[in-house]
Amino acid sequence: MKVFIACLGTETNTFVPFPTGRRNFEESGVFHGDVTKHTPNLFSAPMHVWRRRAEERGWRVIESLYAFAQPAGVTVRSVYEGYRDEILADLKKALPIDIVLLSMHGAMVADGYDDCEGDLLGRVREIAGARAVIGGELDLHCHITRAMLANADALVTFKEYPHIDTAERAEELFTLCADAAEGKTRPVMAAYDCRMVGMYRTPVEPMKSFVARMKALEAKDGILSVSLGHGFPWGDVAEVGTQALVVADGDRTKAQDVARQLGQELFAMRDSTLVKYWQPDDAIADAESAPADKPVVLADVADNAGGGSPSDSTFLLEALLQRGFKGALVGLLWDPVAFQIAEEAGEGATLEMRIGGKCGPISGNPVDLRVTVKKLAWDCQQTFGPTRNGTGNLAWLQADGIDIVINTKRTQIFHPDAFAPLGLDPTRYRLIVVKSSQHFYAGFAPIAARVLYVTTRGGIEPDFASIRHTKRSVPYWPRVADPFAGQNI
Ligand SMILES: [Zn+2]
Protein backbone atom coordinates (compact mmCIF):
# COMPACT_ATOMS: atom_id res chain seq x y z
CA MET A 1 0.00 0.00 0.00
CA LYS A 2 1.05 3.55 -0.69
CA VAL A 3 -0.24 6.34 1.54
CA PHE A 4 -0.09 10.02 0.61
CA ILE A 5 -0.32 12.59 3.44
CA ALA A 6 -0.55 16.39 3.42
CA CYS A 7 -2.01 19.36 5.27
CA LEU A 8 -3.45 22.61 3.94
CA GLY A 9 -5.74 24.83 5.90
CA THR A 10 -6.81 27.83 7.85
CA GLU A 11 -10.08 28.99 9.40
CA THR A 12 -11.30 31.94 7.38
CA ASN A 13 -13.21 34.76 9.03
CA THR A 14 -14.70 36.40 5.95
CA PHE A 15 -15.71 39.47 7.98
CA VAL A 16 -12.31 40.73 9.20
CA PRO A 17 -10.31 43.29 7.22
CA PHE A 18 -6.90 41.58 6.96
CA PRO A 19 -6.22 38.82 4.42
CA THR A 20 -4.51 35.49 4.95
CA GLY A 21 -1.36 35.63 2.86
CA ARG A 22 1.88 33.74 2.47
CA ARG A 23 3.50 35.40 5.50
CA ASN A 24 0.67 34.18 7.71
CA PHE A 25 1.29 30.58 6.60
CA GLU A 26 5.06 30.94 6.91
CA GLU A 27 4.78 32.32 10.43
CA SER A 28 3.10 29.07 11.45
CA GLY A 29 5.72 27.03 9.55
CA VAL A 30 5.44 25.68 6.00
CA PHE A 31 7.12 22.31 5.36
CA HIS A 32 7.63 20.78 1.95
CA GLY A 33 7.55 17.07 2.79
CA ASP A 34 9.23 16.88 6.19
CA VAL A 35 6.85 18.21 8.84
CA THR A 36 6.85 14.78 10.50
CA LYS A 37 10.55 15.28 11.32
CA HIS A 38 9.51 18.21 13.56
CA THR A 39 7.57 18.54 16.81
CA PRO A 40 3.83 17.97 16.20
CA ASN A 41 1.35 20.82 16.44
CA LEU A 42 -2.44 20.84 16.26
CA PHE A 43 -2.69 20.25 12.50
CA SER A 44 0.58 18.39 11.86
CA ALA A 45 -0.11 15.88 14.64
CA PRO A 46 -2.40 13.86 12.32
CA MET A 47 0.42 13.53 9.77
CA HIS A 48 2.72 12.15 12.47
CA VAL A 49 0.06 9.62 13.44
CA TRP A 50 -0.59 8.57 9.84
CA ARG A 51 3.10 8.11 9.07
CA ARG A 52 3.62 5.98 12.18
CA ARG A 53 0.54 3.84 11.55
CA ALA A 54 1.43 3.25 7.90
CA GLU A 55 5.07 2.42 8.65
CA GLU A 56 4.03 -0.02 11.40
CA ARG A 57 2.30 -1.97 8.64
CA GLY A 58 5.27 -1.74 6.32
CA TRP A 59 3.36 0.58 3.97
CA ARG A 60 5.09 3.29 1.98
CA VAL A 61 4.41 6.92 2.94
CA ILE A 62 4.65 9.83 0.54
CA GLU A 63 4.65 13.05 2.52
CA SER A 64 3.72 16.30 0.80
CA LEU A 65 3.11 19.86 1.97
CA TYR A 66 2.21 21.06 5.45
CA ALA A 67 0.84 24.61 5.36
CA PHE A 68 -1.50 25.97 8.01
CA ALA A 69 -2.19 29.63 8.77
CA GLN A 70 -3.43 31.38 11.89
CA PRO A 71 -7.07 32.29 11.18
CA ALA A 72 -7.60 35.69 9.52
CA GLY A 73 -9.55 37.08 6.58
CA VAL A 74 -10.07 35.63 3.09
CA THR A 75 -6.98 33.82 1.74
CA VAL A 76 -5.13 35.44 -1.14
CA ARG A 77 -6.05 33.50 -4.27
CA SER A 78 -2.52 32.90 -5.57
CA VAL A 79 -1.42 31.70 -2.14
CA TYR A 80 -4.18 29.08 -1.93
CA GLU A 81 -3.67 27.97 -5.53
CA GLY A 82 0.10 27.76 -5.07
CA TYR A 83 -0.10 25.48 -2.03
CA ARG A 84 -2.94 23.42 -3.53
CA ASP A 85 -1.05 22.88 -6.77
CA GLU A 86 2.07 21.82 -4.87
CA ILE A 87 0.06 19.04 -3.20
CA LEU A 88 -1.51 18.03 -6.51
CA ALA A 89 1.87 17.93 -8.28
CA ASP A 90 3.31 15.74 -5.49
CA LEU A 91 0.28 13.45 -5.78
CA LYS A 92 0.71 13.08 -9.55
CA LYS A 93 4.34 12.12 -9.05
CA ALA A 94 3.34 9.53 -6.43
CA LEU A 95 0.78 7.67 -8.56
CA PRO A 96 -0.55 5.05 -8.29
CA ILE A 97 -1.72 5.75 -4.74
CA ASP A 98 -3.96 3.65 -2.48
CA ILE A 99 -4.82 6.05 0.35
CA VAL A 100 -4.79 9.86 0.55
CA LEU A 101 -5.06 11.40 4.03
CA LEU A 102 -5.46 15.14 4.37
CA SER A 103 -5.34 17.27 7.50
CA MET A 104 -7.54 20.28 6.78
CA HIS A 105 -9.52 22.81 8.73
CA GLY A 106 -12.78 22.73 6.81
CA ALA A 107 -13.55 26.46 6.92
CA MET A 108 -10.95 27.80 4.50
CA VAL A 109 -12.14 30.45 2.04
CA ALA A 110 -9.93 31.97 -0.64
CA ASP A 111 -10.62 34.72 -3.11
CA GLY A 112 -12.68 32.87 -5.76
CA TYR A 113 -13.13 29.72 -3.63
CA ASP A 114 -15.82 29.60 -0.93
CA ASP A 115 -14.99 25.94 -0.27
CA CYS A 116 -11.24 25.35 -0.53
CA GLU A 117 -11.45 21.88 1.00
CA GLY A 118 -14.15 20.80 -1.46
CA ASP A 119 -12.02 22.16 -4.30
CA LEU A 120 -8.89 20.37 -3.05
CA LEU A 121 -10.69 17.06 -2.44
CA GLY A 122 -12.29 17.23 -5.91
CA ARG A 123 -8.93 17.71 -7.61
CA VAL A 124 -7.32 15.01 -5.46
CA ARG A 125 -10.08 12.59 -6.49
CA GLU A 126 -9.55 13.43 -10.17
CA ILE A 127 -5.85 12.62 -9.89
CA ALA A 128 -5.94 9.68 -7.46
CA GLY A 129 -8.85 7.99 -9.22
CA ALA A 130 -12.07 6.37 -8.06
CA ARG A 131 -10.33 3.37 -6.44
CA ALA A 132 -8.16 5.41 -4.08
CA VAL A 133 -9.46 5.84 -0.54
CA ILE A 134 -9.53 9.54 0.35
CA GLY A 135 -9.88 10.61 3.98
CA GLY A 136 -9.93 14.02 5.60
CA GLU A 137 -9.57 15.12 9.22
CA LEU A 138 -11.30 18.41 9.95
CA ASP A 139 -11.52 20.86 12.80
CA LEU A 140 -15.04 20.74 14.20
CA HIS A 141 -15.39 24.44 13.31
CA CYS A 142 -15.81 23.43 9.67
CA HIS A 143 -18.38 23.89 6.94
CA ILE A 144 -19.28 20.39 5.77
CA THR A 145 -20.07 20.84 2.09
CA ARG A 146 -21.56 18.74 -0.66
CA ALA A 147 -18.29 18.90 -2.61
CA MET A 148 -16.37 17.56 0.37
CA LEU A 149 -18.85 14.71 0.90
CA ALA A 150 -18.87 13.85 -2.80
CA ASN A 151 -15.11 13.58 -3.16
CA ALA A 152 -13.96 12.00 0.12
CA ASP A 153 -14.61 8.45 1.29
CA ALA A 154 -14.43 9.40 4.95
CA LEU A 155 -14.36 12.68 6.84
CA VAL A 156 -13.79 12.84 10.56
CA THR A 157 -13.95 15.99 12.67
CA PHE A 158 -12.44 16.64 16.08
CA LYS A 159 -15.00 15.82 18.77
CA GLU A 160 -13.65 18.06 21.51
CA TYR A 161 -13.63 21.83 21.89
CA PRO A 162 -10.96 22.62 23.19
CA HIS A 163 -9.40 20.46 20.47
CA ILE A 164 -7.57 17.96 22.64
CA ASP A 165 -8.34 14.94 20.46
CA THR A 166 -6.64 15.77 17.16
CA ALA A 167 -4.27 12.78 17.37
CA GLU A 168 -7.04 10.43 18.50
CA ARG A 169 -9.19 11.39 15.52
CA ALA A 170 -6.20 10.85 13.23
CA GLU A 171 -5.93 7.30 14.56
CA GLU A 172 -9.64 6.83 13.88
CA LEU A 173 -9.39 8.13 10.32
CA PHE A 174 -6.36 5.96 9.59
CA THR A 175 -8.19 2.82 10.73
CA LEU A 176 -11.26 3.79 8.71
CA CYS A 177 -9.30 4.35 5.51
CA ALA A 178 -6.92 1.40 5.96
CA ASP A 179 -9.86 -0.97 6.49
CA ALA A 180 -11.53 0.43 3.37
CA ALA A 181 -8.36 0.10 1.29
CA GLU A 182 -8.00 -3.53 2.42
CA GLY A 183 -11.59 -4.21 1.40
CA LYS A 184 -12.80 -4.89 4.97
CA THR A 185 -15.33 -2.03 4.91
CA ARG A 186 -17.04 0.28 2.41
CA PRO A 187 -17.46 3.69 4.06
CA VAL A 188 -20.39 5.85 2.97
CA MET A 189 -21.23 9.25 4.47
CA ALA A 190 -24.30 11.32 5.25
CA ALA A 191 -24.65 14.75 6.84
CA TYR A 192 -27.64 16.39 8.47
CA ASP A 193 -28.06 20.15 8.59
CA CYS A 194 -29.11 21.02 12.16
CA ARG A 195 -30.07 24.55 11.03
CA MET A 196 -28.07 26.02 13.88
CA VAL A 197 -25.23 28.53 13.99
CA GLY A 198 -23.38 28.59 17.30
CA MET A 199 -20.42 27.56 19.42
CA TYR A 200 -20.63 24.51 21.66
CA ARG A 201 -18.28 23.81 24.54
CA THR A 202 -17.70 20.11 24.99
CA PRO A 203 -16.17 19.95 28.52
CA VAL A 204 -19.51 21.04 29.99
CA GLU A 205 -23.08 19.80 29.77
CA PRO A 206 -25.11 19.23 27.72
CA MET A 207 -22.35 18.83 25.11
CA LYS A 208 -20.22 16.56 27.31
CA SER A 209 -22.92 13.90 27.30
CA PHE A 210 -23.62 14.51 23.61
CA VAL A 211 -19.99 13.70 22.77
CA ALA A 212 -20.21 10.55 24.92
CA ARG A 213 -23.34 9.57 23.03
CA MET A 214 -21.60 10.08 19.67
CA LYS A 215 -18.77 7.81 20.78
CA ALA A 216 -21.21 5.17 22.05
CA LEU A 217 -22.76 4.93 18.58
CA GLU A 218 -19.44 4.14 16.91
CA ALA A 219 -17.96 0.77 15.99
CA LYS A 220 -21.22 -1.13 16.18
CA ASP A 221 -24.35 -1.71 14.08
CA GLY A 222 -22.43 -0.77 10.95
CA ILE A 223 -21.60 2.76 12.14
CA LEU A 224 -17.91 3.49 11.58
CA SER A 225 -17.64 7.09 12.74
CA VAL A 226 -19.81 9.88 14.12
CA SER A 227 -18.85 13.55 14.02
CA LEU A 228 -20.49 16.85 14.77
CA GLY A 229 -19.31 19.70 12.55
CA HIS A 230 -20.06 22.59 14.90
CA GLY A 231 -19.53 25.03 12.01
CA PHE A 232 -17.62 28.29 11.98
CA PRO A 233 -20.14 31.11 12.43
CA TRP A 234 -17.97 33.89 10.93
CA GLY A 235 -17.71 32.43 7.45
CA ASP A 236 -20.08 33.88 4.88
CA VAL A 237 -20.57 30.70 2.83
CA ALA A 238 -23.66 28.82 1.65
CA GLU A 239 -23.13 25.82 3.95
CA VAL A 240 -22.29 27.66 7.17
CA GLY A 241 -23.77 26.01 10.26
CA THR A 242 -23.86 22.90 12.40
CA GLN A 243 -24.07 19.46 10.80
CA ALA A 244 -24.08 15.92 12.11
CA LEU A 245 -21.85 13.66 10.01
CA VAL A 246 -21.97 9.87 10.03
CA VAL A 247 -19.82 7.30 8.24
CA ALA A 248 -21.51 3.90 7.91
CA ASP A 249 -20.31 0.64 6.43
CA GLY A 250 -21.99 0.38 3.03
CA ASP A 251 -25.42 1.56 4.20
CA ARG A 252 -26.09 5.17 3.31
CA THR A 253 -29.66 5.06 4.63
CA LYS A 254 -28.34 4.02 8.02
CA ALA A 255 -25.82 6.88 7.92
CA GLN A 256 -28.62 9.30 7.07
CA ASP A 257 -30.86 7.97 9.85
CA VAL A 258 -28.21 8.26 12.55
CA ALA A 259 -27.13 11.72 11.34
CA ARG A 260 -30.74 12.94 11.40
CA GLN A 261 -31.38 11.43 14.82
CA LEU A 262 -28.28 13.07 16.32
CA GLY A 263 -28.90 16.37 14.58
CA GLN A 264 -32.43 16.51 15.89
CA GLU A 265 -31.24 15.65 19.39
CA LEU A 266 -28.87 18.59 19.29
CA PHE A 267 -31.51 20.89 17.88
CA ALA A 268 -33.91 19.90 20.66
CA MET A 269 -31.41 21.00 23.31
CA ARG A 270 -30.26 24.13 21.50
CA ASP A 271 -31.25 26.53 24.26
CA SER A 272 -29.22 24.67 26.86
CA THR A 273 -26.07 24.94 24.70
CA LEU A 274 -26.09 28.71 25.12
CA VAL A 275 -23.34 30.20 27.21
CA LYS A 276 -23.81 33.10 29.58
CA TYR A 277 -21.82 36.09 28.32
CA TRP A 278 -20.89 38.82 30.75
CA GLN A 279 -20.59 42.53 30.09
CA PRO A 280 -17.07 43.80 30.92
CA ASP A 281 -18.10 45.92 33.93
CA ASP A 282 -20.16 43.13 35.48
CA ALA A 283 -17.33 40.63 35.03
CA ILE A 284 -14.77 42.97 36.61
CA ALA A 285 -17.14 43.71 39.50
CA ASP A 286 -17.50 39.97 40.03
CA ALA A 287 -13.72 39.61 40.22
CA GLU A 288 -13.50 42.55 42.63
CA SER A 289 -15.81 40.82 45.05
CA ALA A 290 -14.18 37.38 44.74
CA PRO A 291 -11.77 36.08 47.42
CA ALA A 292 -8.20 36.90 46.38
CA ASP A 293 -6.75 33.40 46.74
CA LYS A 294 -7.28 32.40 43.11
CA PRO A 295 -7.65 34.46 39.93
CA VAL A 296 -10.94 35.02 38.15
CA VAL A 297 -10.32 34.35 34.46
CA LEU A 298 -12.12 36.59 31.96
CA ALA A 299 -12.24 35.15 28.44
CA ASP A 300 -12.14 37.95 25.88
CA VAL A 301 -14.03 35.77 23.42
CA ALA A 302 -14.64 38.35 20.69
CA ASP A 303 -10.92 38.96 20.19
CA ASN A 304 -9.71 35.41 19.73
CA ALA A 305 -7.01 35.18 17.05
CA GLY A 306 -8.04 31.55 16.66
CA GLY A 307 -11.28 32.80 15.08
CA GLY A 308 -9.58 35.39 12.91
CA SER A 309 -9.85 38.33 15.30
CA PRO A 310 -6.83 40.65 15.58
CA SER A 311 -6.02 39.87 19.24
CA ASP A 312 -5.18 43.52 19.86
CA SER A 313 -8.51 44.88 21.06
CA THR A 314 -8.50 47.15 24.07
CA PHE A 315 -12.13 47.03 25.26
CA LEU A 316 -11.38 44.97 28.37
CA LEU A 317 -8.10 46.75 29.11
CA GLU A 318 -9.91 50.09 28.96
CA ALA A 319 -12.65 48.80 31.26
CA LEU A 320 -10.02 47.67 33.80
CA LEU A 321 -8.26 51.04 33.64
CA GLN A 322 -11.50 52.97 34.00
CA ARG A 323 -12.47 51.02 37.10
CA GLY A 324 -8.97 51.40 38.55
CA PHE A 325 -8.65 47.64 38.99
CA LYS A 326 -5.30 46.58 40.46
CA GLY A 327 -3.74 43.13 40.18
CA ALA A 328 -4.79 42.11 36.67
CA LEU A 329 -2.82 40.25 34.04
CA VAL A 330 -3.82 40.82 30.39
CA GLY A 331 -2.47 38.75 27.51
CA LEU A 332 -1.53 37.88 24.93
CA LEU A 333 -2.15 41.16 23.17
CA TRP A 334 -0.69 41.24 19.64
CA ASP A 335 1.35 44.38 19.10
CA PRO A 336 4.64 43.93 17.23
CA VAL A 337 5.17 47.70 17.00
CA ALA A 338 4.85 48.13 20.76
CA PHE A 339 7.24 45.22 21.24
CA GLN A 340 9.80 46.89 19.01
CA ILE A 341 9.57 50.08 21.07
CA ALA A 342 9.80 48.15 24.35
CA GLU A 343 12.79 46.21 23.07
CA GLU A 344 14.51 49.40 22.01
CA ALA A 345 13.86 51.02 25.40
CA GLY A 346 15.07 47.92 27.25
CA GLU A 347 14.10 46.21 30.50
CA GLY A 348 13.56 48.64 33.35
CA ALA A 349 12.71 51.60 31.10
CA THR A 350 9.63 53.68 31.81
CA LEU A 351 8.04 55.42 28.83
CA GLU A 352 4.83 56.55 27.18
CA MET A 353 3.47 53.85 24.93
CA ARG A 354 0.48 53.34 22.64
CA ILE A 355 -0.90 49.81 22.98
CA GLY A 356 -3.30 47.79 20.81
CA GLY A 357 -6.26 49.02 18.81
CA LYS A 358 -4.54 48.87 15.43
CA CYS A 359 -6.85 46.83 13.16
CA GLY A 360 -9.95 48.99 12.81
CA PRO A 361 -13.17 49.31 14.82
CA ILE A 362 -13.04 45.66 15.92
CA SER A 363 -9.79 46.46 17.79
CA GLY A 364 -11.20 49.42 19.75
CA ASN A 365 -9.09 52.49 20.42
CA PRO A 366 -5.36 52.32 21.06
CA VAL A 367 -4.59 52.89 24.74
CA ASP A 368 -1.90 55.43 25.69
CA LEU A 369 -0.17 54.51 28.93
CA ARG A 370 2.99 55.29 30.87
CA VAL A 371 4.47 51.79 31.16
CA THR A 372 7.50 50.16 32.69
CA VAL A 373 9.14 47.47 30.60
CA LYS A 374 9.51 44.78 33.25
CA LYS A 375 10.91 41.97 31.10
CA LEU A 376 11.42 40.85 27.51
CA ALA A 377 11.65 37.36 26.03
CA TRP A 378 12.30 36.12 22.52
CA ASP A 379 11.08 33.20 20.40
CA CYS A 380 8.71 31.86 23.05
CA GLN A 381 6.28 28.94 23.11
CA GLN A 382 3.20 27.75 24.96
CA THR A 383 1.62 24.35 25.53
CA PHE A 384 -1.58 23.21 23.87
CA GLY A 385 -2.50 19.60 24.63
CA PRO A 386 0.50 17.50 23.64
CA THR A 387 1.90 20.21 21.34
CA ARG A 388 4.13 23.29 21.73
CA ASN A 389 3.17 26.40 19.80
CA GLY A 390 5.10 29.59 19.10
CA THR A 391 4.01 32.93 20.56
CA GLY A 392 6.84 35.04 19.13
CA ASN A 393 8.60 37.64 21.27
CA LEU A 394 7.00 38.81 24.51
CA ALA A 395 7.14 42.02 26.53
CA TRP A 396 5.79 42.39 30.07
CA LEU A 397 4.60 45.96 30.47
CA GLN A 398 3.33 47.32 33.78
CA ALA A 399 0.97 50.30 34.09
CA ASP A 400 -1.50 51.41 36.74
CA GLY A 401 -1.40 48.11 38.62
CA ILE A 402 -2.01 46.06 35.47
CA ASP A 403 0.49 43.70 33.87
CA ILE A 404 0.07 43.61 30.10
CA VAL A 405 1.83 40.97 28.02
CA ILE A 406 2.20 41.86 24.37
CA ASN A 407 3.51 39.48 21.73
CA THR A 408 4.69 39.60 18.13
CA LYS A 409 3.12 36.46 16.68
CA ARG A 410 -0.66 36.73 16.42
CA THR A 411 -2.09 33.76 18.31
CA GLN A 412 -4.61 33.07 20.99
CA ILE A 413 -3.42 32.06 24.42
CA PHE A 414 -3.73 28.37 25.23
CA HIS A 415 -2.00 27.83 28.55
CA PRO A 416 -0.70 29.68 31.64
CA ASP A 417 2.84 28.62 30.66
CA ALA A 418 2.64 31.25 27.90
CA PHE A 419 3.68 33.71 30.66
CA ALA A 420 6.58 31.57 31.95
CA PRO A 421 9.31 33.06 29.70
CA LEU A 422 8.71 36.38 31.51
CA GLY A 423 8.88 34.78 34.96
CA LEU A 424 5.23 35.64 35.58
CA ASP A 425 3.16 33.42 37.86
CA PRO A 426 -0.48 33.76 36.76
CA THR A 427 -1.79 32.19 39.99
CA ARG A 428 -0.85 35.28 42.02
CA TYR A 429 -3.21 37.65 40.14
CA ARG A 430 -6.77 38.54 41.14
CA LEU A 431 -7.92 38.65 37.54
CA ILE A 432 -6.56 37.38 34.23
CA VAL A 433 -7.84 38.44 30.81
CA VAL A 434 -7.21 35.80 28.13
CA LYS A 435 -7.88 36.46 24.47
CA SER A 436 -9.42 33.10 23.59
CA SER A 437 -12.90 31.66 23.15
CA GLN A 438 -12.40 28.23 24.68
CA HIS A 439 -8.98 26.70 24.00
CA PHE A 440 -7.63 28.44 27.11
CA TYR A 441 -10.02 26.43 29.24
CA ALA A 442 -8.06 23.19 29.70
CA GLY A 443 -5.00 25.12 30.90
CA PHE A 444 -6.57 27.97 32.85
CA ALA A 445 -9.63 26.39 34.50
CA PRO A 446 -7.47 24.43 37.00
CA ILE A 447 -5.89 27.65 38.34
CA ALA A 448 -9.07 29.76 38.20
CA ALA A 449 -11.57 30.54 40.95
CA ARG A 450 -14.09 31.16 38.17
CA VAL A 451 -14.10 31.44 34.39
CA LEU A 452 -16.30 34.18 32.96
CA TYR A 453 -16.96 34.53 29.22
CA VAL A 454 -17.08 38.23 28.45
CA THR A 455 -18.42 39.84 25.31
CA THR A 456 -17.30 43.09 23.72
CA ARG A 457 -17.06 44.28 20.16
CA GLY A 458 -14.51 42.31 18.13
CA GLY A 459 -13.78 40.11 15.15
CA ILE A 460 -15.90 37.23 16.47
CA GLU A 461 -18.68 38.67 18.60
CA PRO A 462 -20.77 35.72 19.81
CA ASP A 463 -24.05 37.28 18.69
CA PHE A 464 -24.94 34.57 16.20
CA ALA A 465 -28.27 36.05 15.16
CA SER A 466 -26.58 39.25 13.98
CA ILE A 467 -23.73 37.88 11.86
CA ARG A 468 -24.25 39.27 8.37
CA HIS A 469 -24.50 36.03 6.39
CA THR A 470 -25.52 36.62 2.79
CA LYS A 471 -24.96 33.21 1.17
CA ARG A 472 -26.87 30.72 3.30
CA SER A 473 -30.42 30.39 1.99
CA VAL A 474 -31.76 27.89 4.56
CA PRO A 475 -32.98 29.56 7.78
CA TYR A 476 -31.15 28.86 11.02
CA TRP A 477 -31.47 29.29 14.77
CA PRO A 478 -30.97 31.67 16.53
CA ARG A 479 -31.73 34.10 13.70
CA VAL A 480 -35.17 32.48 13.62
CA ALA A 481 -36.63 30.73 16.65
CA ASP A 482 -37.62 27.55 14.80
CA PRO A 483 -36.05 27.14 11.35
CA PHE A 484 -37.85 23.81 10.84
CA ALA A 485 -41.29 25.29 11.52
CA GLY A 486 -43.93 23.95 9.16
CA GLN A 487 -41.53 21.52 7.47
CA ASN A 488 -41.22 17.78 7.50
CA ILE A 489 -37.78 17.06 8.88
ZN1 LIG B 1 -11.68 24.89 15.94
Side-chain angles (χ1 to χ4, degrees), residues 11 105 139-141 158 161 163 439:
E11 178 183 70
H105 185 283
D139 189 299
L140 55 75
H141 297 116
F158 306 158
Y161 179 41
H163 305 325
H439 286 325

Side-chain angles (χ1 to χ4, degrees), residues 2-6 50 87-88 91 95 97-104 117-137 147-156 173-174 176-178 180-181 187-189 247:
K2 258 164 79 183
V3 184
F4 182 91
I5 59 175
W50 298 333
I87 293 173
L88 299 178
L91 181 60
L95 290 176
I97 206 84
D98 301 291
I99 300 175
V100 178
L101 297 171
L102 299 174
S103 168
M104 300 177 291
E117 289 83 357
D119 175 64
L120 175 62
L121 285 165
R123 288 168 196 267
V124 164
R125 174 62 74 195
E126 242 168 62
I127 293 165
R131 286 188 58 250
V133 176
I134 300 176
E137 180 172 350
M148 288 156 70
L149 293 168
N151 291 298
D153 293 281
L155 297 169
V156 166
L173 184 69
F174 186 90
L176 246 165
C177 292
V188 291
M189 291 191 285
V247 189

Side-chain angles (χ1 to χ4, degrees), residues 304-350:
N304 172 14
S309 206
S311 196
D312 77 339
S313 87
T314 54
F315 301 105
L316 271 170
L317 176 60
E318 274 190 322
L320 287 167
L321 291 164
Q322 270 164 19
R323 287 185 73 98
F325 190 96
K326 309 288 178 205
L329 173 63
V330 178
L332 304 170
L333 192 146
W334 178 55
D335 196 334
V337 174
F339 178 84
Q340 194 176 321
I341 294 167
E343 186 182 43
E344 197 77 337
E347 289 179 2
T350 297

Side-chain angles (χ1 to χ4, degrees), residues 25-228:
F25 281 94
E26 284 171 353
E27 221 178 40
S28 305
V30 173
F31 297 87
H32 303 276
D34 63 347
V35 79
T36 57
K37 293 197 175 82
H38 297 81
T39 316
N41 63 37
L42 193 59
F43 284 88
S44 72
M47 293 175 68
H48 286 256
V49 169
W50 298 333
R51 174 176 280 286
R52 175 178 52 75
R53 291 285 301 274
E55 286 177 349
E56 279 168 6
R57 293 169 179 232
W59 294 357
R60 204 173 139 210
V61 177
I62 291 98
E63 182 173 334
S64 179
L65 179 73
Y66 167 88
F68 197 91
Q70 184 67 240
V74 170
T75 307
V76 175
R77 185 178 187 127
S78 60
V79 172
Y80 166 62
E81 289 176 342
Y83 288 140
R84 176 197 70 190
D85 292 348
E86 181 177 335
I87 293 173
L88 299 178
D90 285 349
L91 181 60
K92 271 184 197 151
K93 267 187 260 160
L95 290 176
I97 206 84
D98 301 291
I99 300 175
V100 178
L101 297 171
L102 299 174
S103 168
M104 300 177 291
H105 185 283
M108 181 178 187
V109 177
D111 182 16
Y113 301 90
D114 273 6
D115 175 13
C116 292
E117 289 83 357
D119 175 64
L120 175 62
L121 285 165
R123 288 168 196 267
V124 164
R125 174 62 74 195
E126 242 168 62
I127 293 165
R131 286 188 58 250
V133 176
I134 300 176
E137 180 172 350
L138 306 170
D139 189 299
L140 55 75
H141 297 116
C142 55
H143 316 299
I144 293 170
T145 68
R146 279 182 291 278
M148 288 156 70
L149 293 168
N151 291 298
D153 293 281
L155 297 169
V156 166
T157 77
F158 306 158
K159 282 189 173 66
E160 300 288 352
Y161 179 41
H163 305 325
I164 51 173
D165 61 336
T166 165
E168 236 181 290
R169 298 287 80 76
E171 300 271 2
E172 180 185 332
L173 184 69
F174 186 90
T175 304
L176 246 165
C177 292
D179 285 354
E182 289 178 325
K184 293 181 194 162
T185 56
R186 191 170 67 80
V188 291
M189 291 191 285
Y192 178 81
D193 181 354
C194 305
R195 302 195 181 184
M196 297 165 68
V197 169
M199 300 282 274
Y200 318 102
R201 303 192 160 95
T202 59
V204 293
E205 297 297 354
M207 293 309 294
K208 194 175 172 184
S209 296
F210 190 81
V211 170
R213 168 133 176 74
M214 284 162 61
K215 287 183 178 167
L217 287 167
E218 290 176 329
K220 61 181 186 208
D221 303 329
I223 299 300
L224 301 174
S225 168
V226 178
S227 294
L228 180 72

Side-chain angles (χ1 to χ4, degrees), residues 393-414:
N393 305 330
L394 307 182
W396 165 17
L397 310 175
Q398 196 167 64
D400 296 345
I402 299 177
D403 286 339
I404 304 162
V405 175
I406 58 171
N407 72 325
T408 58
K409 181 178 172 186
R410 198 173 65 82
T411 176
Q412 70 181 297
I413 189 161
F414 294 126

